[in-house]
Amino acid sequence: MKRICVIGGSRYFGRVLVQRLQATGHRVTVINRGSTRPPAGVEHLVVDRDDEAALVAALGSRSFDVVVDQVCYTPVQAAIAARAFNGRTRCYVMTSTIEVYDPATAALPAVPPGTPVPEETVDPATWLVRTDLPWHDAAYLQAHYAEGKRQAEAVFTQHHGFAFTAVRSAHVLGGGAAEFTGRLQHYTERITRGAEITVHAEALPTVFVHYEELAELLEWAATRTDATGPVNACSDGLLDVQGLGTVIAAQTGRKAVFRRVAAGEPASPFSFDRHYAMSNARARELGFTFSHITDWLPGTVAEALAVIASPTS
């Protein structure tokens, strides 16, 4: 049994993670700003993680075996957490993202199209950290989401006060109405209505992960492996936007209508004109077993379609 702190953990795969940790006997503390209470029996600290003095005061004399940070988006947030949890934990796990590999957002080593992108493509040990940038500005952060995550990983990696793991998540699907990004809903609604979907002329495939599988991998990273460094998290199998449309169309009885956009024109959420589909080989070598996207995607689409059928659910 471990003492585990989860920062965030109030919705989607973060909430599933908290439930899994509690069900397997770990003592769990959740830190958030109080908008959502954790499950009964989970300690709840209501504090803004961006307020360092308040965070330290809320932690009091507590220490943890592991901290799992679900909501770290900037190097400033990472620096605050690194100082606040220094000496309070042996291990820190941060939920990161496939977007750190997006070649449109940084000068990264070239990876041939079709080659799964390995973790070493982005090395947080050598990544430059700029805490002086306007990370507090919502518009700036939205425009620099990938760089914020890269620099946050770099802060923790270069801190050396505890072991650190960055779980780089693929695009997360599943859960019906719980899937708050609305990206899958975009496709199910448009195909159901017969509306066109904008795609790149040569849309490239990407990787996905089911939200429950991501929660399982985060639990594994926190409790069942001593591995550190970046770990990619994605189900087996590549899928492009037209393949996704085909799966949805098969369940709606409608044909997916695609419109190709000109170079530089925005396309729908899972259409990509650049390659950065991840490899999950490292996690597999460390002992984690992934599902194949075909194991769960049809059920995930069915959940999304059920939301359309019952919009008040």
Side-chain angles (χ1 to χ4, degrees):
M1 182 179 71
K2 295 180 182 290
R3 177 87 187 236
I4 301 176
C5 175
V6 179
I7 305 176
S10 61
R11 61 179 179 175
Y12 207 31
F13 60 84
R15 190 166 185 83
V16 177
L17 168 64
V18 170
Q19 293 167 341
R20 288 183 66 95
L21 290 170
Q22 186 182 34
T24 49
H26 300 292
R27 291 184 296 164
V28 184
T29 297
V30 165
I31 293 176
N32 62 30
R33 289 179 293 184
S35 59
T36 305
R37 293 194 58 82
V42 171
E43 183 182 37
H44 189 199
L45 302 182
V46 178
V47 64
D48 184 348
R49 64 160 307 147
D50 294 338
D51 185 333
E52 185 171 353
L55 177 59
V56 170
L59 289 170
S61 61
R62 293 173 180 82
S63 61
F64 306 94
D65 295 298
V66 187
V67 176
V68 184
D69 194 339
Q70 296 283 79
V71 288
C72 188
Y73 302 106
T74 76
V76 174
Q77 291 178 321
I80 289 171
R83 291 190 294 266
F85 287 95
N86 191 46
R88 297 180 186 270
T89 188
R90 295 182 293 104
C91 178
Y92 204 102
V93 178
M94 172 188 152
T95 303
S96 190
T97 173
I98 185 176
E99 300 302 329
V100 302
Y101 299 118
D102 185 351
T105 63
L108 301 174
V111 178
T115 302
V117 179
E119 286 85 354
E120 56 265 27
T121 303
V122 176
D123 182 2
T126 61
W127 203 262
L128 178 65
V129 173
R130 291 284 308 277
T131 55
D132 59 319
L133 297 174
W135 297 111
H136 62 281
D137 181 82
Y140 181 88
L141 178 56
Q142 183 176 8
H144 296 83
Y145 172 74
E147 182 61 16
K149 285 289 193 178
R150 283 188 288 259
Q151 291 195 28
E153 286 188 26
V155 169
F156 288 124
T157 301
Q158 298 167 26
H159 172 62
H160 302 302
F162 36 65
F164 174 65
T165 302
V167 174
R168 294 173 175 169
S169 169
H171 308 292
V172 188
L173 297 178
E179 198 276 285
F180 63 92
T181 69
R183 292 176 297 182
L184 183 59
Q185 209 68 25
H186 169 84
Y187 291 100
T188 54
E189 288 178 353
R190 294 189 75 79
I191 292 174
T192 300
R193 299 198 322 262
E196 67 180 20
I197 296 167
T198 56
V199 299
H200 293 98
E202 295 184 11
L204 297 174
T206 188
V207 284
F208 297 87
V209 67
H210 191 269
Y211 79 112
E212 291 179 335
E213 185 166 50
L214 179 55
E216 181 184 359
L217 189 140
L218 287 164
E219 178 198 3
W220 168 84
T223 66
R224 288 182 275 149
T225 180
D226 294 325
T228 59
V231 177
N232 293 340
C234 58
S235 298
D236 292 336
L238 299 173
L239 189 70
D240 63 24
V241 64
Q242 296 191 44
L244 176 62
T246 298
V247 174
I248 297 170
Q251 294 196 42
T252 62
R254 304 295 297 270
K255 182 179 179 180
V257 180
F258 299 104
R259 178 177 67 83
R260 293 183 177 181
V261 299
E265 185 181 347
S268 57
F270 295 132
S271 182
F272 298 98
D273 59 356
R274 56 205 183 274
H275 167 69
Y276 57 106
M278 299 187 300
S279 165
N280 63 17
R282 182 169 192 244
R284 283 192 170 280
E285 291 167 359
L286 292 169
F288 190 84
T289 301
F290 290 97
S291 65
H292 195 281
I293 188 171
T294 55
D295 296 334
W296 54 264
L297 184 57
T300 293
V301 169
E303 291 173 335
L305 290 171
V307 174
I308 296 175
S310 303
T312 59
S313 62

